[in-house]
Amino acid sequence: MTKSNILTDTFGRKHNYLRISLTERCNLRCTYCMPADGIQLSPKAHIMTYEEIFTIAKQFVDHGVTKIRLTGGEPLVRKDAAQIIEKLASLPVQLTLTTNGVIVDKFIELFKKSGIKTLNVSLDSLDSQKNQKITRRQYFEKVYNNIILLVQEGFKVKVNCVLMKGFNDNEIIDFINLSKDLPLHVRFIEFMPFDGNQWKMDKLVSLKEILSEVHSNFKKEDIIKLEDAPSDTTKSYQIKNYQGTFAIISSVTNPFCDGCNRVRLTANGQIKNCLFSSTESDLLTPLREGKSIAPIIEKAVKGKFKIRSGMDTLDKFKRIDGHNNRSMITIGG
């Protein structure tokens, strides 16, 4: 078994990007991520220790992973988050994380020390009351100020915004205008179905609808299409003379599966080869039993469907049952 083939699937896609969920816990309760009545947390004994996270991550790096993103829940609420970040920073990878931004200010020096240069921060409305409605918490000012602080401290900040029709789809231009005087990278994400998030197709704001709004508010010659890398999940744009950019992640209406290079590791040690996969592969149990996890990783990667866990048409996707998958908070971004 060589470095090159264990993470290459049957369609020739090389998976060099590992997303690790550190925890199922979060200090927000976002409606699209967590069911209204919360979730049943995995028992503490079933959650990976920081040593196990590093051991599994190193196995992936030894086989070709070059980028690791830490997710959650909210990764920074884990008590040993700093220790995990420091340990993973010793690996030859690009290390980054996705956060809700609430306590990110406490970790800035650690990020710099660990070589983290890019962070994704979730913010779904620029209206304090609407933000409270979607997060079920009142942290808008803190998050917004922390985004500005990260920019001032020299980080590349990507602002993740999940769009929902009739809720925040009237803020598309406001979000884009954030990138006028700040080097922010705004990313609009199509609303996706997960257990407990009340997904409906008619709540989704599509790639086509977002671009229609953009073209209604900016001159055609001022909308610059940027070049996307083969493995990018985004279709990226910039408004002429704006410092930052904006992009659209169209997982539903225009999936980007051909260039997918991502594998997900949940906080309880399960591999998901696709965000929408209803099946998982247990790495933690065999690791604790002293068995090799490489064959399990290879089998999981080789079993990956070409498109969205087999949902290769929009019609099939519309019939998706969120209960066949975890809630988003237990998958990890």
Side-chain angles (χ1 to χ4, degrees):
M1 204 177 292
T2 65
K3 287 185 180 182
S4 61
N5 68 22
I6 183 175
L7 294 178
T8 301
D9 68 15
T10 56
F11 303 99
R13 294 174 295 197
K14 297 179 180 179
H15 295 74
N16 63 347
Y17 181 4
L18 177 65
R19 302 173 71 105
I20 305 174
S21 175
L22 299 189
T23 180
E24 298 171 352
R25 298 179 181 276
C26 190
N27 44 6
L28 299 182
R29 296 289 183 270
C30 298
T31 57
Y32 55 82
C33 183
M34 183 185 286
D37 53 357
I39 61 164
Q40 181 66 49
L41 293 169
S42 298
K44 187 176 180 181
H46 295 183
I47 299 294
M48 296 182 293
T49 65
Y50 94 93
E51 294 95 343
E52 289 166 340
I53 290 171
F54 179 77
T55 299
I56 294 174
K58 189 175 186 307
Q59 181 90 242
F60 273 92
V61 172
D62 288 345
H63 287 281
V65 160
T66 57
K67 180 177 179 179
I68 292 176
R69 176 177 298 280
L70 302 180
T71 67
E74 167 51 46
L76 298 178
V77 301
R78 180 162 165 157
K79 290 180 180 177
D80 57 354
Q83 191 175 14
I84 293 168
I85 291 169
E86 286 180 328
K87 189 75 172 169
L88 292 176
S90 69
L91 295 172
V93 294
Q94 177 190 347
L95 186 62
T96 184
L97 75 152
T98 295
T99 173
N100 60 33
V102 175
I103 57 174
V104 77
D105 51 304
K106 299 177 182 178
F107 291 83
I108 284 177
E109 292 309 312
L110 174 67
F111 293 157
K112 290 180 178 179
K113 178 182 172 184
S114 303
I116 293 175
K117 296 179 173 62
T118 302
L119 294 103
N120 289 13
V121 183
S122 299
L123 183 67
D124 300 302
S125 177
L126 297 173
D127 179 287
S128 180
Q129 289 185 323
K130 280 165 65 172
N131 197 71
Q132 183 174 4
K133 185 176 181 180
I134 198 167
T135 64
R136 304 187 181 107
R137 296 291 186 272
Q138 182 55 280
Y139 283 121
F140 172 75
E141 296 293 338
K142 186 72 188 295
V143 173
Y144 186 85
N145 289 336
N146 276 345
I147 287 172
I148 303 301
L149 177 63
L150 287 170
V151 170
Q152 291 172 341
E153 292 289 339
F155 293 94
K156 179 178 180 179
V157 181
K158 298 178 181 179
V159 177
N160 288 348
C161 174
V162 176
L163 288 175
M164 285 164 282
K165 198 161 288 183
F167 179 73
N168 60 353
D169 54 333
N170 63 339
E171 296 187 65
I172 292 171
I173 303 306
D174 293 335
F175 268 101
I176 290 174
N177 283 334
L178 275 183
S179 71
K180 182 177 182 179
D181 299 316
L182 291 168
L184 289 172
H185 306 275
V186 177
R187 291 138 50 94
F188 298 114
I189 304 172
E190 289 184 343
F191 184 35
M192 294 178 282
F194 297 99
D195 186 22
N197 75 351
Q198 309 298 312
W199 183 85
K200 289 181 181 178
M201 189 70 191
D202 60 9
K203 288 184 181 179
L204 181 144
V205 185
S206 69
L207 167 75
K208 184 178 179 181
E209 290 170 317
I210 296 168
L211 288 178
S212 176
E213 182 73 4
V214 172
H215 282 276
S216 296
N217 286 271
F218 297 100
K219 295 177 182 177
K220 184 177 181 180
E221 60 268 25
D222 289 342
I223 304 168
I224 304 164
K225 178 67 185 76
L226 304 175
E227 187 172 350
D228 300 306
S231 60
D232 280 350
T233 60
T234 55
K235 291 175 174 58
S236 301
Y237 300 83
Q238 186 172 34
I239 302 302
K240 186 178 179 181
N241 296 325
Y242 277 32
Q243 284 193 44
T245 64
F246 73 95
I248 303 163
I249 300 177
S250 52
S251 309
V252 178
T253 64
N254 198 348
F256 34 78
C257 304
D258 285 352
C260 184
N261 64 341
R262 292 167 292 287
V263 176
R264 287 173 167 80
L265 177 64
T266 66
N268 62 346
Q270 306 289 313
I271 283 289
K272 286 179 74 75
N273 63 15
C274 173
L275 183 59
F276 299 109
S277 174
S278 58
T279 60
E280 302 173 350
S281 302
D282 182 12
L283 293 187
L284 190 55
T285 301
L287 180 74
R288 289 177 174 177
E289 293 173 349
K291 298 176 182 176
S292 173
I293 61 172
I296 303 169
I297 294 171
E298 181 172 33
K299 185 178 179 181
V301 171
K302 294 286 194 274
K304 186 168 183 169
F305 284 91
K306 185 176 183 180
I307 296 176
R308 271 188 322 216
S309 197
M311 294 175 287
D312 52 2
T313 67
L314 189 55
D315 189 54
K316 287 181 183 178
F317 194 86
K318 287 178 183 177
R319 298 198 300 267
I320 190 172
D321 179 0
H323 292 278
N324 289 335
N325 202 353
R326 295 173 176 236
S327 56
M328 188 65 176
I329 190 168
T330 65
I331 296 175

